Structure formats: C-alpha cells, structure tokens
Amino acid sequence: MKFNPAQAIQDLQQFGEFGGVNPSITDSSTYTFLEGETMEETFLGQMEGCFLYSRHWNPSNKYLADALAAMENTESAWITASGMAAITCSLLQLCSSGDHIITSVTTYGGTYAFLKNWLPKYNIQVSFVDITSLEQVRKAMQPNTKVIYTESVTNPLLQVSNIPELAKIAHAANAKLMVDNTFTPMIISPKILGADLVVYSMTKFINGKNDCVAGAICGSNEFVNQLSNVNDGTAMLLGPVLDPLRSSSILKNLNTLHIRMKQHSKNAQFLAENLEKAELKVIYPGLKNHPQNELHKKLMNSDFGFGGMLALDFETEEKANKIMQKMQEAGVGYLAVSLGYFKTLFSCSGHSTSSEIPLDVQKEMGLSEGLVRFSVGLDSNIEDTFQRITSCL
Ligand SMILES: *Cc1c(COP(=O)(O)O)cnc(C)c1O
C-alpha cells in the first residue's frame, strides 16, 4: 500500500492549552525558566520541549513543523517565513566555500537567481542540467558535489524529476538530494522516494489562501538541529522566523489540503484533456503525451491526481497577453503570479516568475515566450470554466 500523507496528518493529536481542538497560539517572543540551569541546557539544544526565544523555536511553529514532518514522513521539520528562506537556509547549511551544487535548469525564478548570481559570490559553484537526463546529472558530478537540487515537478515546464534515480546518484557520491515539492504536496512524497530534504513554499497549495508567505524544510533530526544551532545554524542566525499567528492559520489549512489537491487535480485534468482536444499545445503531467506521464504515475501517491498546474503554449507574448486579459474579463480567474489559490491564476512565465532566467537560457530549456502557466482553482463547474476559456481564444 502506498503512503497516505493525509492520514498521517489526521492521526496527529494536538490540543490547545485548555483542551481546545486547535493548538494554542504562542503570543510570546521569550519564555520564562524556573531554574538558571535549564536555561543554559536549552541554549545548548539539550532540553526537549523547552522554549527559549521565538526565533529559535516557538510552540506554534513546532505544531506546524510536526504536522509537516508527518506529511513528509521525515523525522523533523522547520518552519520559515518564506519558501525562499527554506531553500536558501538549507543550501547554505549544506554547502561551504569550495563546494558544488547540481541543479535542474528549470526551477522557480528566485531559486535560479540565487543559484546563478548569489552563491558564486561565496565561491559555491553550480552546474545547471536538464534534470530529465540522468546522463547529464551523472556527468556533472564532481568530487566536491554536495547537493543535487530539483523540483518534483519543475516550474514552469512541468518536467517530472526521477527522484529515486537522482537519490541513487547523489548517495553514491555522499551528496544530498534536495527536492522542492511546492507544486505537488501529498501527490509526491520525496522522502519516501529517497530524497534527503524536502523544501516548500507554503505560500502556495499548502496554505492555499494567498494571504501570507511562508516556507518549510522537512528532513532528519540531525539536519534540523544543525539549522537551529545557536552557533552556526543558518535558520537561527539568518533569522527568517514565521509569526506564530500565521503558522497557526496555516496548520488549520493544512488539514484540508488533501481535499483541495484532489479538486485542483480533477479540474486541471479536465481542462488539460479538453484543451488538448481543442488542439491547443498543453503541458500537463496527467496527459498521455507528457514525456514523464508514466514516471509520474510510478512516483505518485494514490488518490491525489496529477496536480493543479498546467501550461498552455500560445507561442508569442503578444497573443498570450491578449488571451490572458480576455480570460480575466470572462471570469476564468486572475492574471496574477503565484499558485495554489482557490481561484485560477495565470501568468506568462517568461515575463514574470521566470524572468530572472536570461532569454537565451529560456529558449534553450524550451520555455516559449508565449507559455502561460495556469494554477487551476477549485471551480465547482469546470465545464463552464472550459467554455469561458475557449470563448477567449
Ligand atoms: C513560490 C515558489 C518558491 C518561493 O517561495 P516564496 O514563498 O515566494 O518565498 C519556491 N519554489 C517554488 C516552486 C515556488 O513556486
């Protein structure tokens, strides 16, 4: 039987201070101690269940972290104030000057910019590869390679990463496989498939309300302890802590994630199949013509579908802009970046969320200037949405 991440969350029992069905929200930055000795031990990370200062750990973030660790089947997790903080803190914890990273060339624009422009300033080298070519990944390995980085389903071209094979390549060289699972929570469980670290922008599907920015890192106890170490932990020292009020609202939303993912997937599958029949160029992992359709089936958990992300190639930016404007007027959804919202969002990737990637690289990786990325919403009548889209073409 396949792992069921929704059941893993549901099985948690987290009570509020007065027996509330939701955990209490910690409204404190600092915590009292009855004895001076306990404070020192907490500082040194030797006390379980004690809290010192909210940048280090706070109970609200701990509840959310426990739920995410259950969902990913990792020993532990850490909450951050953004997806970028989760990605950058993890990479900086794993790599020092002189190390090397291999990454998929198709990643979120901010991740690409960090790997391309920021890390080399600190003498960390990065190789960009076509992550669907295991041969290219193997060839890029160096004695100083510390991390293979990818997204389960990549932004914005929706390529599927072969996590088990990438894990083998990484582990044979004593490197870590780090996977951004933002597009496919519950659908794919990277840790179960061999990844060492799973990172999230919770801003997207996990929270699902587009009312805040947040992130998470799921991994081993050892790694989370390193991140939060008071002497050299990147999360502790760079300090991207999420406010407890936000983490408590995200935790509540996490409990409806499985229902939302199923509906996002169902709607996206319907649109993808029908738009393909209407002879549009559709990229969706749930379509038979998708190059990694079989791989995705092999990797996915049962019941959650192929996700809410699909892309339509309108070839030119001009055509894409015109259609997107019309779709917004016709009530298909909003012309906006981001994803995982209850309404459909669409944007032209090359000129928005992937604009950090130089045009020649965009061309090389097959990102057409008219590619419109859709995050399909929770629409109750997707047939009607389909009619509205076709009326705009
Ligand atoms: C949005 C996004 C990020 C960045 O997350 P923020 O919460 O905006 O910092 C990283 N990876 C992917 C795949 C994303 O979609």
Side-chain angles (χ1 to χ4, degrees):
M1 211 188 82
K2 288 223 174 178
F3 177 64
N4 186 337
Q7 190 64 42
I9 293 173
Q10 195 161 358
D11 284 341
L12 284 176
Q13 294 189 326
Q14 300 175 320
F15 299 108
E17 194 179 353
F18 299 99
V21 292
N22 290 307
S24 309
I25 300 171
T26 5
D27 197 25
S28 296
S29 59
T30 191
Y31 303 83
T32 56
F33 286 82
L34 293 176
E35 295 155 13
E37 290 81 6
T38 338
M39 180 181 271
E40 190 178 359
E41 284 164 16
T42 305
F43 224 97
L44 299 171
Q46 294 160 353
M47 284 299 286
E48 271 291 307
C50 279
F51 294 92
L52 177 76
Y53 183 64
S54 278
R55 167 156 46 78
H56 181 239
W57 251 134
N58 66 69
S60 295
N61 290 1
K62 181 81 168 75
Y63 284 124
L64 178 56
D66 287 347
L68 289 163
M71 174 171 100
E72 289 305 322
N73 200 38
T74 54
E75 285 175 357
S76 194
W78 187 263
I79 306 304
T80 57
S82 71
M84 282 312 297
I87 294 163
T88 56
C89 285
S90 297
L91 286 173
L92 291 172
Q93 193 69 44
L94 291 169
C95 298
S96 310
S97 171
D99 289 340
H100 174 246
I101 297 171
I102 295 172
T103 178
S104 166
V105 64
T106 60
T107 57
Y108 177 71
T111 309
Y112 178 88
F114 180 71
L115 291 162
K116 184 79 183 175
N117 307 327
W118 207 92
L119 286 179
K121 291 198 289 188
Y122 298 87
N123 193 33
I124 296 170
Q125 260 62 54
V126 184
S127 300
F128 296 84
V129 299
D130 171 357
I131 205 71
T132 63
S133 161
L134 296 172
E135 206 38 50
Q136 270 195 35
V137 177
R138 274 190 208 103
K139 279 204 185 116
M141 290 297 287
Q142 297 177 10
N144 58 344
T145 305
K146 286 283 157 67
V147 180
I148 298 179
Y149 183 91
T150 192
E151 296 171 354
S152 309
V153 173
T154 69
N155 180 54
L157 290 170
L158 310 178
Q159 296 167 320
V160 182
S161 295
N162 193 336
I163 297 170
E165 290 303 318
L166 291 169
K168 276 186 210 156
I169 298 171
H171 297 159
N174 226 358
K176 302 271 190 237
L177 176 63
M178 181 170 160
V179 178
D180 180 339
N181 201 37
T182 300
F183 281 18
T184 48
M186 301 218 159
I187 295 171
I188 291 176
S189 298
K191 163 65 172 43
I192 300 231
L193 298 169
D196 300 283
L197 272 182
V198 186
V199 287
Y200 275 108
S201 168
M202 297 199 289
T203 315
K204 318 293 169 56
F205 289 105
I206 288 188
N207 186 47
K209 306 292 181 288
N210 261 304
D211 54 3
C212 71
V213 172
I217 304 162
C218 304
S220 65
N221 277 331
E222 188 192 358
F223 188 69
V224 169
N225 287 339
Q226 286 170 4
L227 284 170
S228 57
N229 186 293
V230 292
N231 292 306
D232 61 4
T234 48
M236 180 64 183
L237 300 178
L238 299 179
V241 65
L242 183 66
D243 187 88
L245 285 170
R246 277 304 180 191
S247 67
S248 88
S249 79
I250 295 172
L251 177 58
K252 283 171 273 189
N253 291 333
L254 183 67
N255 282 277
T256 58
L257 178 62
H258 60 295
I259 303 171
R260 291 186 278 114
M261 289 318 293
K262 285 180 200 180
Q263 186 71 15
H264 284 299
S265 291
K266 192 174 150 209
N267 284 348
Q269 185 78 38
F270 180 90
L271 287 184
E273 285 173 8
N274 285 282
L275 290 166
E276 190 182 45
K277 273 186 215 148
E279 296 189 0
L280 285 156
K281 265 170 92 177
V282 191
I283 307 177
Y284 185 66
L287 289 179
K288 284 203 177 62
N289 74 2
H290 188 284
Q292 291 100 35
N293 175 243
E294 283 304 319
L295 173 65
H296 194 292
K297 280 189 201 160
K298 216 172 84 189
L299 301 186
M300 72 206 281
N301 293 316
S302 320
D303 299 339
F304 304 103
F306 292 86
M309 303 304 294
L310 72 83
L312 285 181
D313 187 355
F314 293 116
E315 270 140 29
T316 66
E317 187 196 0
E318 200 190 346
K319 192 169 169 203
N321 282 340
K322 213 178 271 164
I323 292 173
M324 287 194 297
Q325 223 169 298
K326 278 197 200 162
M327 286 195 300
Q328 179 159 258
E329 284 159 17
V332 172
Y334 297 146
L335 201 181
V337 299
S338 199
L339 53 118
Y341 191 43
F342 44 77
K343 283 185 187 270
T344 297
L345 301 178
F346 39 83
S347 57
C348 188
S349 295
H351 297 270
S352 59
T353 50
S354 295
S355 60
E356 295 91 337
I357 303 169
L359 276 176
D360 54 323
V361 181
Q362 289 191 21
K363 274 224 175 76
E364 210 180 289
M365 67 195 216
L367 205 172
S368 141
E369 60 161 316
L371 190 89
V372 174
R373 187 190 74 181
F374 282 71
S375 166
V376 179
L378 300 175
D379 312 27
S380 66
N381 185 350
I382 196 68
E383 289 89 346
D384 175 61
T385 307
F386 172 69
Q387 295 304 334
R388 291 187 199 203
I389 295 174
T390 50
S391 76
C392 299
L393 302 173

